[in-house]
Amino acid sequence: MRTIHVALVLLCCSLSQGLLEVFQAAQPPRLTFEGSACRQTLFKHDFGNSYEAPYVGPYSPPNGCNFTTTIFNLSVVSSGRQYDRLATLWLGDNEVWRTSTAMPSQSGIHWSFQKDMTIWHSLLTQSQKIIFDLGNLIDGDRYTGFFNVTMEALYYDDEYRAGFHPAEQIYPISKLSSSSNTTSLFSLPGDSGSVNLTLPRNIKNAVVSLTASGNGAEEFWFTNVPTEYVNTFPTNEGWLYPYSPFREVQLLIDGQLAGVSWPFSILFTGGVDPGAWRPVVGIDAFELPAFEIDITPWLGLLTDGRSHTFQLQVVSYDSFAEDSTGPIGENWWVSGSIFVWLDEEVEQTVAQGFRSEVSGPSFGFNSIIGTAIAENGTATNTSLYFTLTASRNITVSSTILSGHSTREVAWTQSLSFSNIQNMTDLAFNQSLAMVTSGSYSDSTSGVTTQYSFPLNLFSAYDVAPTGATTNPGSVLCLADRSKLIDGVSALSFLTGSSLGPEILKTRQNVTSNYHWNSTIVEGTVGLDTMDGEVWLSYSRAAANEAAVSAYHRYAKEKNDSLLIDEQGWGQMPVPSTMPVPVVEGEPGV
């Protein structure tokens, strides 16, 4: 595996010599990047003062090139002082990649990441407008780091063992604003999150891919508290954020719930403790995950030749609401795409027996507030402990009639959520133990996907009363988390780039003590310390000769340096996520 990594650096990243190499532990999209049928640089662009100023340019498929597999390689160089930034890549009105940046150092960093774009084949074979939005700020004093971005496409004419049959059409669930040279992101709760679409009458299968991430006041949504507890510590006003630590991303079709995502929480490279995520960034920081919902059971409704409304929305837990769901803060960026496979043997898809069985979400909540009584009888809150649990089940099914045959189709989901938080020292000390888990199954693969996302997080802030910019403080961060998936992507399975279940096990453990200086953006040399480890193991049935069937990587880091970096073509044991230490002074529960 080491030779492949070097080949990628030489291929796309010759400018990275002398720079700190930053990476996300992830399985490579193929065994080798050599032997491409063709390749092209999509763009090179420097992002400085780039808010509301994305890169916009033409995309055209390479002339005279037959290809099935497409890999995009993103390469970035940055130096100076800069926060982490979110970035989105679009082909027209369809978002095809959401990523984020690493925080640079004065001496400079480089990273590259390769993403398999094969499911987007019908867009990649047509001329498109390509938009890459990376909002950045340069002020010449505090924020000095540009992001120098190169995006390259590599095309391969792979033969797939199950055949190659990508979606014929892809429809965006977005603001449809690429004609104005801007991204089509919905920003919730401000935007409607809805679009009206008329789909073909002869659809065989349809799957929605949706991407959603919390930003701004919602970046750390999983550490939020129910709104009625925001002022638990009045002398630390503004430290706690409202609307609870529960978020549900919903897909509605004509106002009816079609499926949901209980999202994977992203710890961006400036998150909690900026010193914790270099040179190994957090899980999925360079490729924020999309979630798929099979809407094939809805085809009896959607193929009637009429316009239908597809809406994305995000809700929270609200104990005062009748259904216990409530609003969210600013903001969530959401978008989606509908992948459609056609049935050439029928003029119109006919279905009967549509059933929608939706339960929940049902919640459980318990809290304890610790208090101290002064000699004069005044009570002061000293701690907050709470648990929030949720569960829900969804099944949508129908029978599709095709000639003299019938096909039973169904989308099922079972979801579970637990969030336990404990806060002391005016919430400057905060511990979190969270697990999101569940299962889902689609209409075509015959596979039930199982997943679990445990996250244990502790943070202790030392912030001077005179303010951090005049008297810098510090944060101690302990993070231990895993992402565990055993299942299949319906989009990859239908395309032919997946033959069945894929098993992913990854864990990251980090301990960091970060002392920010007066710029807030940088740590303090000689005071900052960091130790971390990451494990990743991946396996699947290879869909073509160049596909990865098994891969592992283990890395150990200390103070911006790699001590160990082992990787190879095989699986490895991944230890379980461990609890974080007990918060000093936490109440007995």
Side-chain angles (χ1 to χ4, degrees):
M1 180 60 206
R2 176 59 57 193
T3 57
I4 292 177
H5 176 72
V6 172
L8 280 173
V9 173
L10 294 176
L11 178 68
C12 308
C13 317
S14 60
L15 294 177
S16 66
Q17 294 183 1
L19 304 176
L20 176 66
E21 193 70 23
V22 177
F23 67 91
Q24 174 190 316
Q27 68 275 13
R30 57 190 292 113
L31 289 170
T32 176
F33 293 91
E34 299 176 352
S36 60
C38 45
R39 52 189 282 193
Q40 61 176 332
T41 298
L42 301 180
F43 64 84
K44 291 184 178 181
H45 192 75
D46 296 337
F47 291 88
N49 284 309
S50 53
Y51 276 103
E52 299 183 354
Y55 167 83
V56 181
Y59 169 84
S60 295
N63 291 327
C65 182
N66 295 321
F67 65 92
T68 53
T69 303
T70 303
I71 306 295
F72 278 9
N73 181 66
L74 173 68
S75 178
V76 185
V77 172
S78 183
S79 61
R81 288 190 296 268
Q82 195 56 259
Y83 273 129
D84 54 319
R85 307 296 185 185
L86 196 66
T88 57
L89 178 67
W90 300 75
L91 293 176
D93 293 311
N94 287 281
E95 183 182 1
V96 298
W97 189 353
R98 187 172 301 188
T99 184
S100 67
T101 69
M103 287 183 65
S105 63
Q106 292 289 355
S107 57
I109 64 171
H110 167 266
W111 74 91
S112 64
F113 194 87
Q114 298 76 43
K115 178 176 172 63
D116 191 332
M117 306 295 292
T118 304
I119 61 170
W120 303 97
H121 186 77
S122 63
L123 298 182
L124 294 167
T125 54
Q126 305 174 31
S127 295
Q128 306 277 345
K129 179 180 289 185
I130 189 168
I131 301 174
F132 188 77
D133 184 41
L134 195 168
N136 193 27
L137 176 64
I138 300 292
D139 63 6
D141 180 19
R142 177 174 297 176
Y143 306 109
T144 63
F146 285 74
F147 293 104
N148 313 116
V149 177
T150 301
M151 184 75 75
E152 185 181 27
L154 295 89
Y155 305 88
Y156 302 87
D157 193 16
D158 293 326
E159 292 186 11
Y160 286 88
R161 294 187 171 99
F164 184 63
H165 23 76
E168 282 97 342
Q169 298 178 22
I170 302 175
Y171 297 85
I173 304 175
S174 68
K175 292 179 71 173
L176 309 179
S177 54
S178 65
S179 60
S180 300
N181 291 335
T182 186
T183 68
S184 298
L185 276 171
F186 289 122
S187 180
L188 303 180
D191 292 332
S192 68
S194 66
V195 63
N196 296 320
L197 297 170
T198 301
L199 301 180
R201 299 173 71 93
N202 62 327
I203 300 177
K204 184 177 183 179
N205 290 291
V207 178
V208 170
S209 173
L210 59 89
T211 303
S213 60
N215 315 285
E218 289 282 297
E219 179 177 345
F220 302 107
W221 52 270
F222 44 93
T223 66
N224 290 12
V225 300
T227 301
E228 59 268 33
Y229 292 88
V230 165
N231 296 316
T232 299
F233 306 104
T235 58
N236 195 11
E237 184 179 1
W239 189 258
L240 297 178
Y241 284 82
Y243 307 121
S244 88
F246 172 83
R247 295 293 179 273
E248 178 176 83
V249 184
Q250 300 177 338
L251 170 66
L252 295 94
I253 299 177
D254 291 341
Q256 301 182 71
L257 189 67
V260 301
S261 169
W262 290 5
F264 180 77
S265 54
I266 302 295
L267 288 171
F268 296 103
T269 61
V272 185
D273 179 343
W277 316 114
R278 196 171 62 206
V280 184
V281 302
I283 297 173
D284 287 350
F286 288 161
E287 185 182 9
L288 276 68
F291 185 77
E292 299 171 2
I293 296 173
D294 185 0
I295 60 170
T296 304
W298 295 82
L299 292 184
L301 169 71
L302 297 175
T303 58
D304 61 359
R306 300 176 181 177
S307 176
H308 295 277
T309 301
F310 294 83
Q311 183 178 21
L312 303 176
Q313 63 181 26
V314 183
V315 300
S316 68
Y317 164 71
D318 184 349
S319 62
F320 296 104
E322 183 176 351
D323 64 354
S324 297
T325 63
I328 57 171
E330 296 282 350
N331 59 0
W332 276 77
W333 283 359
V334 301
S335 75
S337 295
I338 307 172
F339 291 72
V340 168
W341 285 260
L342 302 178
D343 188 345
E344 301 297 344
E345 297 182 358
V346 301
E347 292 185 3
Q348 180 177 352
T349 302
V350 177
Q352 63 183 21
F354 177 83
R355 295 183 62 187
S356 175
E357 303 174 26
V358 177
S359 69
S362 58
F363 296 96
F365 181 76
N366 179 55
S367 67
I368 300 174
I369 296 178
T371 59
I373 308 298
E375 292 183 358
N376 62 3
T378 302
T380 302
N381 293 337
T382 58
S383 64
L384 170 63
Y385 170 93
F386 71 82
T387 65
L388 175 63
T389 60
S391 62
R392 126 168 289 178
N393 293 288
I394 297 173
T395 299
V396 184
S397 61
S398 66
T399 302
I400 294 180
L401 311 179
S402 180
H404 299 290
S405 63
T406 62
R407 180 166 60 110
E408 302 295 327
V409 294
W411 167 253
T412 65
Q413 290 185 262
S414 178
L415 306 99
S416 177
F417 171 85
S418 172
N419 185 289
I420 303 173
Q421 294 191 49
N422 202 354
M423 306 172 198
T424 62
D425 190 23
L426 304 179
F428 285 127
N429 289 351
Q430 184 173 5
S431 69
L432 163 68
M434 182 174 80
V435 180
T436 303
S437 60
S439 64
Y440 56 86
S441 61
D442 60 77
S443 301
T444 57
S445 70
V447 174
T448 298
T449 295
Q450 308 278 346
Y451 62 90
S452 180
F453 308 145
L455 167 62
N456 296 325
L457 180 65
F458 171 74
S459 59
Y461 286 85
D462 180 9
V463 180
T466 53
T469 56
T470 56
N471 192 349
S474 66
V475 56
L476 171 64
C477 170
L478 296 88
D480 199 342
R481 68 176 321 184
S482 296
K483 184 176 185 180
L484 310 170
I485 301 177
D486 184 350
V488 68
S489 159
L491 291 177
S492 297
F493 184 84
L494 287 166
T495 300
S497 55
S498 173
L499 297 179
E502 304 178 18
I503 300 175
L504 172 68
K505 298 178 181 180
T506 184
R507 176 195 175 194
Q508 188 172 27
N509 178 284
V510 175
T511 298
S512 177
N513 199 336
Y514 183 78
H515 299 254
W516 59 83
N517 62 22
S518 59
T519 70
I520 304 299
V521 191
E522 289 181 312
T524 304
V525 176
L527 295 179
D528 297 344
T529 60
M530 179 271 191
D531 293 275
E533 292 177 280
V534 63
W535 299 259
L536 182 137
S537 180
Y538 173 80
S539 65
R540 66 172 178 176
N544 60 63
E545 290 185 356
V548 175
S549 60
Y551 171 79
H552 73 267
R553 188 169 191 175
Y554 169 74
K556 184 176 179 62
E557 57 184 329
K558 184 179 182 66
N559 300 339
D560 278 9
S561 298
L562 277 181
L563 304 180
I564 301 173
D565 187 10
E566 301 173 347
Q567 46 190 326
W569 302 121
Q571 301 180 66
M572 70 173 295
V574 176
S576 299
T577 290
M578 300 297 291
V580 297
V582 173
V583 178
E584 182 180 353
E586 72 180 13
V589 292

